[in-house]
């Protein structure tokens, strides 16, 4: 359904070949001796009104990716277009005019609110910067935003430290909504919250999406929460997208070994299924993004690694309609071939068998 | 929605004052500070004695109704000299402190916030720290005393010279402290959040960075007053400051040191005044720092 909408109208957010390298300097002269490739050649699109989930383990470049899209960092390479505006090439003055369209909700609600400002001042700051409302109009808008995110109006004069984590996150969301943005990057908005509060905040985000027609990039490492909120999901590993698919396809038929391993780690609420759940335990650590392995970045830990994986980097290719994966196990095929199960058949076996079958 | 009428946002300064009043030390400090200020400002109108009038026959007097604090070795009235000296010392202390805090905060903010300016500004700070203070002051006084004296008159001229000399040689500590705090602050997420809103740098500094570095600035400001008063007295003692007959607290103190065995009260009064001013300034700064922090406020 979403894909059909996306193909007819141009997507709201287009990210093309985004790279974000941080230089490593060393020695007395602080010469540049290498790069930390936090985000390496990431491309995706997000349709208007859609939620794209971006998942991956810590340090895989999810947050950096979100920040580079909003030009909070200057990307090393690549293009970002949001609602037809070239965000990645905008001059500082243009960028300032584009800011109201794209906003961000931060991970740590404690750190993302200035401790010296009242709630009213925090929510009012975007209005201060981008509108010419009078003081009374501004206060009115602040109150209506506080209503929208479920904060009592009487809290307007309080300071962030007087609130609980969930309430602080609501303040952050109200600030992001103040300028009627089209696109919001939610950078792990629930990671710092209690489990009981997480659901509230996610439901609030969903309600606001329905109410204001928002588009989200939802960055998280909580796979169950992403399954709840996202329409499509992208999985990142070491700065690259390894799999990108509609939610049900990704959770139902994960194609990349890394995605399979990630999903196998999600606990099941039903104890009977949980008892039979088979975890794929990955060995070793994530390689340093300063020196990623040659070939496929996941080749050092992949249970189904082949010779070609260590030599050649797999491209992100379509293996089923709307389902993209970067893995040599899946050669680019026509959409029908992906569905017949010719590729998926050996995957039901143990990893060893699959490996033998593939290399033979 | 709610029945209770909503309070419109209060001015921050009203809340700061509310909190400041609850800090007992700060209130006592402020009362002492204002009392001394009133004494030195209003004193000359009430106690009409010329502090520079020499009455050699009435020298080295003790406390009496004619000379409430006695006289010095030239027969000058000590109370009148204390009042006149307080005017100079307090104004030198406050202005030099203000100048050094302004300079230090400005340089610290720029160095901490703009990565490109960090290297040059911090090397400049190191340069100033490495300069030997007294020879530098000597050179400054030699070069600028005459032009300034002809421009502003002898007393204002030397006042400007001393304030500037103390100000430009004491901002380095503040700059370093502020820079360190700014470096830590600008990595916080609320600065990133402000950037995502599109807040320009100047308002980023004034709205987000500066209010959060107020505490160390307050502390170095209160210490700065003490430092300025003491540096001024050292300068006067070396003959680089105000002329010898011109009373300041530091001057009175150093003049009295020679007679400390015979007339210890002459050291006591200016010493007490300097201590009281410094102490009360410290308490006021302490209270202000607490009052400016919303996390402490309301507790």
């Amino acid at each position: 359904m979403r894909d059909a909408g996306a193909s007819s109208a141009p997507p709201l957010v287009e990210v093309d070949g985004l790279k974000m390298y941080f230089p490593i300097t060393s020695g007395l002269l602080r010469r540049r001796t290498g790069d930390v490739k936090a985000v390496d050649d990431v491309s995706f699109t997000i349709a208007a009104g859609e939620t794209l989930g971006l998942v991956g383990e810590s340090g895989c470049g999810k947050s950096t990716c979100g920040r580079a899209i909003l030009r909070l960092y200057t990307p090393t390479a690549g293009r970002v277009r949001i609602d037809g505006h070239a965000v990645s090439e905008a001059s500082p003055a243009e960028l300032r005019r584009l800011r109201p369209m794209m906003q961000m909700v931060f991970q740590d609600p404690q750190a993302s609110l200035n401790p010296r400002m009242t709630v009213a001042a925090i929510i009012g700051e975007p209005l201060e910067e981008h509108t010419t409302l009078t003081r009374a109009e501004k206060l009115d808008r602040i109150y209506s935003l506080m209503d929208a995110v479920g904060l009592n109006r009487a809290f307007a004069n309080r300071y962030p430290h007087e609130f609980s984590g969930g309430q602080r996150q609501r303040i952050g969301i109200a600030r992001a909504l103040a300028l009627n943005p089209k696109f919001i990057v939610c950078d792990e908005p629930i990671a710092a919250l209690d489990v009981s509060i997480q659901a509230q905040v996610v439901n609030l985000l969903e309600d606001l999406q329905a109410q204001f027609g928002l588009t989200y990039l939802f960055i998280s490492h909580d796979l169950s929460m992403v399954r709840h909120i996202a329409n499509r999901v992208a999985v990142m590993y070491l700065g690259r997208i390894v799999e990108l698919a509609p939610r049900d396809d990704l959770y139902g038929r994960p194609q990349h070994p890394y995605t399979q391993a990630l999903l196998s780690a999600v606990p099941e609420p039903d104890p009977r299924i949980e008892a039979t759940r088979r975890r794929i335990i990955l060995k070793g650590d994530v390689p340093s993004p300063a020196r990623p392995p040659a070939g496929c970045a996941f080749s050092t830990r992949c249970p189904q690694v082949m010779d070609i994986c260590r030599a050649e980097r797999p491209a992100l290719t379509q293996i089923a309609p709307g389902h993209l994966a970067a893995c040599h196990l899946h050669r680019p095929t026509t959409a029908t071939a992906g569905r017949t199960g010719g590729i998926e058949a050996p995957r039901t076996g143990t990893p060893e068998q699959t490996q033998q079958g593939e290399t033979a | 929605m709610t029945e209770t009428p909503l309070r419109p946002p209060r001015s921050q300064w009203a809340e700061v004052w509310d909190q400041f009043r609850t800090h007992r030390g700060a209130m006592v400090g402020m009362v002492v500070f204002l009392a001394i200020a009133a004494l030195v400002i209003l004193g000359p109108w009430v106690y009409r004695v010329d502090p520079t009038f020499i009455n050699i026959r009435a020298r080295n007097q003790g406390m009496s109704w004619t000379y409430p604090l006695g006289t010095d070795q030239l027969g000058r009235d000590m109370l009148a000299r204390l009042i006149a000296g307080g005017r100079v010392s307090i104004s030198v202390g406050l202005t030099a402190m203000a100048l050094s805090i302004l300079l230090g905060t400005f340089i610290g903010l720029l160095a901490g916030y703009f990565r490109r300016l960090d290297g040059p500004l911090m090397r400049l700070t190191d340069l100033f720290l490495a300069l030997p203070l007294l020879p530098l002051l000597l050179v400054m006084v030699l070069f600028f005393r005459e032009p300034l004296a002809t421009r502003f008159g002898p007393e204002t001229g030397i006042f400007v010279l001393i304030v500037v000399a103390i100000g430009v040689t004491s901002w380095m500590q503040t700059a370093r402290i502020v820079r360190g705090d700014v470096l830590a602050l600008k990595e916080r997420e609320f600065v990133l959040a402000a950037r995502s809103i599109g807040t320009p740098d100047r308002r980023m500094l004034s709205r987000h960075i500066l209010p959060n570095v107020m505490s160390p600035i307050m502390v170095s400001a209160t210490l700065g007053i003490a430092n300025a008063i003491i540096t001024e007295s050292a300068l006067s003692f070396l003959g680089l400051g105000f002329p010898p007959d011109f009373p300041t607290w530091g001057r009175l103190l150093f003049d009295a040191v020679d007679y400390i065995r015979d007339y210890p009260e002459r050291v006591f009064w200016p010493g007490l005044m300097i201590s009281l001013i410094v102490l009360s300034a410290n308490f006021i700064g302490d209270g202000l720092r607490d009052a400016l922090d919303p996390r402490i406020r309301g507790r």
Side-chain angles (χ1 to χ4, degrees):
Chain A
M1 188 185 77
R2 293 279 178 196
D3 286 325
S7 56
S8 60
L12 184 79
V13 181
E14 294 171 76
V15 179
D16 186 24
L18 186 70
K19 290 183 184 175
M20 185 70 228
Y21 294 175
F22 295 101
I24 306 168
T25 53
S26 59
L28 199 61
L29 297 172
R30 315 212 36 87
R31 244 195 308 249
R32 185 177 179 138
T33 51
D35 291 303
V36 174
K37 296 177 178 172
V39 177
D40 201 5
D41 203 8
V42 163
S43 307
F44 57 83
T45 59
I46 310 176
E50 189 188 37
T51 301
L52 177 71
L54 188 59
V55 299
E57 60 196 293
S58 303
C60 73
K62 308 183 294 285
S63 293
T64 312
C65 182
R67 289 173 184 188
I69 289 171
L70 294 190
R71 269 288 290 275
L72 294 178
Y73 299 145
T74 307
T76 314
R79 294 176 60 230
V80 177
R81 290 175 76 80
I82 299 179
D83 199 23
H85 302 283
V87 175
S88 50
E89 287 102 41
S91 68
E94 277 177 79
L95 193 62
R96 191 170 135 75
R97 276 199 302 279
L98 294 177
R99 286 284 179 212
M101 175 184 77
M102 46 187 193
Q103 288 292 314
M104 188 155 185
V105 176
F106 289 86
Q107 171 175 7
D108 185 350
Q110 165 100 57
S112 67
L113 305 175
N114 186 340
R116 305 256 167 162
M117 285 165 80
T118 60
V119 170
I122 290 170
I123 301 176
E125 190 187 1
L127 303 170
E128 199 83 43
E129 287 300 330
H130 290 282
T131 62
T132 51
L133 301 175
T134 63
R135 185 180 284 232
E137 286 169 336
K138 223 175 278 170
L139 197 61
D140 213 44
R141 175 90 180 114
I142 291 168
Y143 283 149
S144 70
L145 284 163
M146 290 179 74
D147 292 346
V149 299
L151 281 171
N152 190 332
R153 287 185 177 198
F155 293 163
N157 299 329
R158 298 206 182 167
Y159 287 87
H161 71 273
E162 298 173 67
F163 292 93
S164 70
Q167 286 173 315
R168 282 188 203 135
Q169 196 56 285
R170 285 169 196 264
I171 301 170
I173 294 170
R175 171 176 61 187
L177 287 175
L179 295 166
N180 294 318
K182 292 185 168 133
F183 174 54
I184 298 185
V185 173
C186 304
D187 184 4
E188 308 213 24
I190 51 168
L193 303 179
D194 254 21
V195 180
S196 57
I197 309 296
Q198 287 185 353
Q200 285 179 18
V201 170
V202 165
N203 289 337
L204 172 67
L205 286 170
E206 283 193 314
D207 292 347
L208 294 171
Q209 183 171 36
Q211 200 178 336
F212 299 109
L214 300 168
T215 305
Y216 290 142
L217 175 64
F218 192 88
I219 300 170
S220 181
H221 53 242
D222 186 335
L223 291 161
S224 353
M225 219 39 119
V226 169
R227 182 176 203 166
H228 177 70
I229 194 172
N231 305 110
R232 287 193 304 146
V233 181
V235 181
M236 270 185 93
Y237 184 77
L238 212 65
R240 292 168 168 276
I241 290 183
V242 295
E243 188 161 3
L244 174 63
R247 175 190 56 193
D248 294 335
D249 285 358
L250 189 107
Y251 283 88
R253 292 181 294 280
Q255 297 296 311
H256 195 281
Y258 180 62
T259 317
Q260 292 163 359
L262 267 189
L263 290 176
S264 80
V266 178
E268 275 290 336
D270 185 341
R272 267 174 300 180
I273 305 177
E274 172 72 13
T276 59
R277 183 166 67 97
R278 287 183 52 200
R279 286 204 56 185
I280 304 172
I281 310 283
L282 293 179
K283 293 192 177 62
D285 288 321
V286 185
S288 157
R291 266 192 290 157
C296 176
F298 191 52
S299 61
T300 51
R301 303 169 75 195
C302 185
Q304 302 169 50
V305 66
M306 302 177 290
D307 285 339
I308 186 174
C309 298
R310 298 203 180 86
E312 202 180 305
R313 176 169 291 165
L316 191 65
T317 46
Q318 178 147 322
I319 55 171
H323 195 145
L324 285 75
C327 184
H328 287 302
L329 292 169
H330 307 284
R331 303 272 152 62
T333 46
T334 56
T336 45
R339 290 285 182 200
T340 54
I343 286 165
E344 287 179 50
R347 312 193 58 76
T348 51
T350 62
E352 285 78 12
Q353 281 171 337
T354 315
Q355 209 169 328
Q356 283 162 4
E358 289 287 334
T359 47
Chain B
M1 187 176 129
T2 44
E3 292 303 311
T4 49
L6 293 170
R7 279 189 309 142
R10 279 184 83 191
S11 143
Q12 199 200 352
W13 296 108
E15 289 186 16
V16 168
W17 172 239
D18 279 355
Q19 169 68 25
F20 187 81
R21 275 192 311 188
T22 66
H23 195 295
R24 195 171 297 153
M27 287 310 280
V28 172
M30 195 149 90
V31 168
V32 170
F33 195 95
L34 289 180
I36 295 177
L39 174 76
V40 302
I41 292 167
L42 305 176
W45 275 286
V46 181
Y47 190 73
R48 294 164 173 279
V49 175
D50 182 4
T52 54
F53 176 73
I54 297 174
N55 182 4
I56 206 78
R57 263 176 284 178
R59 67 180 196 266
N60 296 335
Q61 300 258 320
M63 288 206 230
S64 65
W65 283 111
T66 3
Y67 304 108
L69 294 180
T71 57
D72 68 0
Q73 72 279 9
L74 294 177
R76 292 174 294 196
D77 186 271
M78 276 304 284
L79 180 60
R81 284 178 77 72
L82 203 64
I83 290 169
R87 278 191 150 182
V88 181
S89 282
I90 291 178
S91 30
V92 166
L94 289 179
T95 3
M97 176 274 290
L99 182 67
S100 105
I101 288 295
L102 275 180
L103 261 177
T105 308
F106 184 69
I107 289 178
L109 278 179
L110 291 186
Y113 191 75
F114 298 103
R115 184 182 283 244
R116 201 170 299 165
L117 294 176
D118 190 17
L121 284 179
M122 279 300 110
R123 294 301 80 73
L124 181 78
T125 310
D126 290 345
L127 180 88
F128 267 90
L129 276 172
L131 283 175
L133 189 62
L134 282 174
L136 177 76
L137 290 173
L138 182 66
V139 171
M140 281 178 79
V141 171
L142 279 179
F143 273 133
F144 299 117
R145 178 181 257 172
E146 286 310 310
L148 281 172
T150 48
R151 184 83 190 272
F152 299 106
E155 276 165 25
T156 325
I158 199 82
F159 179 81
V160 170
L161 179 65
I162 293 214
V163 163
V164 171
I166 296 175
V168 299
T169 51
S170 63
W171 54 267
M172 294 82 74
Q173 302 296 340
T174 317
R176 281 191 159 179
I177 295 167
V178 169
R179 168 186 172 263
D181 271 27
V182 172
L183 279 181
L185 271 175
K186 76 171 180 180
E187 299 302 326
R188 296 274 297 274
E189 272 190 346
F190 67 79
V191 173
L192 203 64
R195 191 165 296 141
S196 81
I197 286 164
T199 308
D201 284 335
R202 59 178 187 285
R203 277 201 289 279
M204 190 84 85
L205 284 170
S206 64
R207 189 184 291 151
H208 294 288
I209 306 279
L210 191 58
N212 281 292
V213 290
M214 277 318 273
S215 307
I217 294 177
M218 280 294 162
V219 173
S220 51
T222 53
L223 294 176
I225 294 184
N227 191 34
I229 290 178
I230 289 163
T231 312
E232 182 276 317
S233 42
L235 280 179
S236 302
F237 182 65
L238 290 171
L240 298 173
F242 291 96
D245 61 331
F246 194 82
T248 72
W249 283 346
R251 184 92 226 166
L252 295 183
L253 198 59
F254 283 117
D255 283 350
V257 165
D258 297 341
Y259 301 92
I260 191 165
R261 283 169 190 237
D262 302 327
Y263 310 105
E265 72 274 10
R266 272 190 228 159
V267 180
F268 176 75
W269 290 114
L272 180 75
M273 284 310 196
I274 294 177
S275 311
L276 276 181
I277 276 287
V278 169
L279 207 60
S280 60
N282 272 335
F283 271 110
I284 292 171
D286 202 33
L288 262 184
R289 190 195 55 194
D290 285 1
L292 285 173
D293 190 339
R295 278 163 296 188
I296 298 174
R297 211 187 293 156
R299 223 182 254 169

